[in-house]
Amino acid sequence: MKTALKICAAVFSIVGIIFMGIGGAVCYYTGLRWPLIHLGLGAVFVAIAIGMLVYLRRRAAREARLLETGYRIQANIDDVSLNFSVRVNGRCPYVIRCSWLDPQTQKVFCFNSDSIWYNPMPYLENRTTLPVCIDPENPKRYVVDTEGILPPKG
């Protein structure tokens, strides 16, 4: 999803800049005011692209903060399955689903890893748990830490 948002942000910013350039050039060279619509539309596209990039940056910062300072628990691996809600070129990514029983509240929390574009089962053969970094004040904010267990992305 992160890559898709980056691509969308790039496309929106390029389209926005083109619209703004055309509108600005037509206004400047002809003196007409109606091409200002192009400038406004281009600004909207650029604003959407900036919003996507800000979201991605905040999410990455939150994940890094959780990995660094979050409460680290060992969650039981429940399942490795395909995420059918995402499809790229006809392929669905894998997701590792984990659960953890909070000993203080006796609540069960479920955690999903990020999308993994290959089958992670061979790398999880002997494992029954995965580290999860949670926000102690809100366990719904979490990161399943697969670094060092699965091969690097890319």
Side-chain angles (χ1 to χ4, degrees):
M1 183 171 120
K2 295 174 191 174
T3 305
L5 275 179
K6 287 179 186 176
I7 292 169
C8 285
V11 169
F12 269 75
S13 63
I14 290 169
V15 169
I17 290 169
I18 290 171
F19 266 81
M20 290 172 68
I22 290 172
V26 171
C27 286
Y28 180 77
Y29 289 113
T30 64
L32 298 174
R33 295 289 171 230
W34 63 266
L36 288 175
I37 293 173
H38 287 82
L39 285 170
L41 192 58
V44 168
F45 274 85
V46 170
I48 291 171
I50 290 171
M52 288 180 197
L53 293 174
V54 166
Y55 167 77
L56 287 171
R57 174 109 15 165
R58 282 187 176 175
R59 180 177 169 178
R62 187 185 85 212
E63 287 180 2
R65 187 180 69 248
L66 282 173
L67 286 170
E68 195 173 302
T69 63
Y71 181 63
R72 188 175 283 273
I73 60 169
Q74 291 294 321
N76 296 322
I77 298 173
D78 295 332
D79 186 27
V80 175
S81 60
L82 290 171
N83 180 2
F84 292 107
S85 65
V86 177
R87 186 176 300 265
V88 176
N89 292 331
R91 291 183 53 220
C92 297
Y94 288 89
V95 174
I96 302 171
R97 300 182 197 287
C98 305
S99 63
W100 170 69
L101 175 67
D102 186 350
Q104 293 175 340
T105 63
Q106 295 301 308
K107 280 185 167 180
V108 175
F109 290 93
C110 297
F111 308 108
N112 295 326
S113 71
D114 283 340
S115 295
I116 303 168
W117 290 98
Y118 54 87
N119 187 353
M121 284 300 291
Y123 304 100
L124 301 173
E125 284 178 350
N126 301 325
R127 290 187 155 272
T128 58
T129 63
L130 271 180
V132 178
C133 297
I134 63 171
D135 182 346
E137 295 177 14
N138 184 1
K140 292 181 181 178
R141 288 190 204 131
Y142 66 88
V143 176
V144 177
D145 187 8
T146 58
E147 192 171 326
I149 298 163
L150 301 178
K153 298 175 187 175

